[in-house]
Coordinates of all heavy atoms in Angstrom, one line a residue:
D25 N -2.4 20.2 8.1 CA -2.9 21.0 9.0 C -2.4 22.3 8.6 O -1.3 22.5 8.0 CB -2.6 20.7 10.4 CG -3.2 21.6 11.5 OD1 -4.3 22.0 11.4 OD2 -2.3 22.1 12.2
L26 N -3.0 23.6 9.0 CA -2.5 24.8 8.6 C -1.8 25.5 9.7 O -0.6 25.7 9.6 CB -3.8 25.6 8.2 CG -3.5 27.1 7.6 CD1 -2.6 27.1 6.4 CD2 -4.8 27.7 7.3
D27 N -2.6 25.9 10.8 CA -1.9 26.6 11.8 C -0.8 25.7 12.6 O -1.2 24.7 13.1 CB -2.9 27.0 12.9 CG -2.3 27.7 14.0 OD1 -1.2 28.2 14.1 OD2 -3.0 27.6 15.1
G28 N 0.4 26.1 12.5 CA 1.5 25.3 13.3 C 2.2 24.4 12.4 O 3.2 23.8 12.7
G62 N -5.3 23.7 17.4 CA -6.1 22.7 16.7 C -7.6 22.6 17.2 O -8.3 21.8 16.6
E183 N 0.5 17.2 11.3 CA -0.3 17.9 12.3 C 0.7 18.4 13.5 O 1.6 17.8 13.7 CB -1.2 16.9 12.9 CG -2.7 17.1 12.5 CD -3.4 18.3 13.1 OE1 -2.8 19.0 13.9 OE2 -4.5 18.6 12.6
D184 N 0.3 19.5 14.1 CA 1.0 20.1 15.3 C 0.2 19.9 16.5 O 0.7 20.3 17.5 CB 1.4 21.5 15.0 CG 0.2 22.4 15.2 OD1 -1.0 22.1 14.6 OD2 0.2 23.4 15.9
A185 N -1.0 19.4 16.5 CA -1.8 19.4 17.7 C -2.2 18.0 18.1 O -2.4 17.0 17.3 CB -3.1 20.1 17.5
Ligands
MG107 MG1 -2.6 23.2 14.0

Side-chain angles (χ1 to χ4, degrees):
D25 172 56
L26 182 58
D27 172 26
E183 256 288 352
D184 73 315

